[in-house]
Amino acid sequence: MEVVIVPDAVAGGELIAETIAALLSRKPGALLGVATGSTPLPVYEALAAKAASGAVDVSRARICQLDEYVGLPAGHPESYRSVVLREVVRPLGLGEDAFMGPDGAAGDIAAACAEYDRALAEAGGVDLQLLGIGTDGHIGFNEPCSSLASRTRIKTLTRQTRQDNARFFDSPEEVPHHVITQGIGTILEARHLVLLATGEAKAEAVALAVEGPLAAVVPASALQLHPHATVVVDEAAASGLKLADYFRDTYAAKPQWQGI
Ligand code: GLP
């Protein structure tokens, strides 16, 4: 696992957008897995700016969702489908045909989950999966004690996560209890995992995920199993890392052609 400490969220967004741009220049039809939440917004803004300036051609990129709420009415503005279309797909000038996600309104949720795992595999697998991290260490919506081998499935949110996400809804009770999320095993199949964390509220979860033992109770620690995982953190989110100086030295000495 590589840990890159950046000065702030904007720098993190720029670094990851450059990485995505480099991927798209090697593989124009790459499948990009995107995350929701506030943290990745600087990535999407930086990537859209690069696309608008002609620095990268995103016209063949494909976008896929990490997770989804269950039971929100179709078209609800806070369904992750709506969020990803609004924050990623449309700003990049892509159409809905370039986008895939699990169906949180399906009558048969178990079948929709299995169908999404199949669709990801049929699409050739995810090339780069962008991840955030919950304050409890979750990735996607894999809450603590999710199986490290899990596949896309229905999960129940913790009280903490519903509280953390209440800011997106008119009232806390409106946050759904159930979600569909790519499993940890599914996420680990992406070719490159890039986790972005910013702000002090994420410092403890980042330290446990990066330097703690591999444990289902900290789902993000599963990145330790992946051969190409990059954790990009700002100074505040890095503040709990014992090896911060080592991570700084390593990145400073890294040949630039390697990228992240
Ligand atoms: C939700 C999403 C996660 C995201 C997390 C953190 O739970 N399912 O993918 O990482 O929120 O969000 P934020 O970046 O807003 O802190």
Side-chain angles (χ1 to χ4, degrees), residues 62-63 81-82 85-86 89-90 93-101:
R62 296 171 299 150
I63 308 291
R81 178 182 176 86
S82 299
L85 287 171
R86 185 167 70 234
V89 176
R90 291 193 198 109
L94 297 170
E96 288 192 27
D97 53 332
F99 168 69
M100 57 199 278

Side-chain angles (χ1 to χ4, degrees), residues 34-41 66-69 80 130-136 138-143 157 161 164-165 167-168 179 181 196-198 202:
V34 295
T36 50
S38 310
T39 311
L41 296 178
L66 182 59
D67 48 11
E68 181 57 282
Y69 290 113
Y80 281 175
L130 181 59
L131 298 165
I133 186 169
T135 52
D136 61 3
H138 74 238
I139 50 174
F141 268 136
N142 292 282
E143 295 284 31
L157 296 181
T161 299
D164 288 348
N165 289 1
R167 67 189 192 281
F168 296 111
V179 292
T181 182
L196 177 63
T198 53
K202 301 295 174 67

